[in-house]
Amino acid sequence: MKTQIDPGMLEYICWNTQVARAQDRLLLLCISRWQRIWEEVVPSIDFIAGQVGVSRSTVKRMIGSLEHAGLIKVTRRANDKGRTSSRYEIDVEAAV
């Protein structure tokens, strides 16, 4: 069972987590917002790029960087036609 964390606390954690670039923090904040409103955080790369205001390749680098730092968990998914959007979750323990 997934542990629920207060949305305000999650936002506070995202603001105060050490990241390499400001846009990494913006992506963390976006994911925390999406966790509040969606049952599963499964946006496409294009959707993330539009929300954050960067290119697809920058989104991929940001995700890789945050995943490598252990700040987000990425679950790559596939449907019967091949790949589909990955699932993203903030690793709260790693972020504090």
Side-chain angles (χ1 to χ4, degrees):
M1 182 175 169
K2 183 177 159 183
T3 303
Q4 294 291 340
I5 185 166
D6 177 81
M9 181 57 70
L10 184 57
E11 185 175 311
Y12 175 83
I13 290 168
C14 291
W15 270 113
N16 291 288
T17 297
Q18 294 288 68
V19 293
R21 294 172 302 272
Q23 60 194 19
D24 294 339
R25 182 174 324 284
L26 181 55
L27 180 55
L28 282 177
L29 289 165
C30 285
I31 293 171
S32 74
R33 185 185 86 199
W34 298 330
Q35 282 183 203
R36 287 194 316 254
I37 58 177
W38 296 338
E39 189 170 318
E40 270 192 308
V41 179
V42 292
S44 69
I45 296 296
D46 287 333
F47 181 84
I48 296 170
Q51 292 288 297
V52 178
V54 297
S55 69
R56 288 177 48 85
S57 60
T58 299
V59 168
K60 290 178 182 182
R61 278 194 305 274
M62 291 164 58
I63 290 169
S65 174
L66 292 171
E67 185 178 25
H68 181 75
L71 297 173
I72 62 172
K73 296 176 186 175
V74 179
T75 304
R76 282 143 184 97
R77 306 175 323 136
N79 59 21
D80 57 344
K81 294 181 181 180
R83 293 185 57 112
T84 187
S85 298
S86 296
R87 183 169 61 88
Y88 305 95
E89 183 177 2
I90 295 172
D91 187 335
V92 175
E93 291 184 17
V96 291

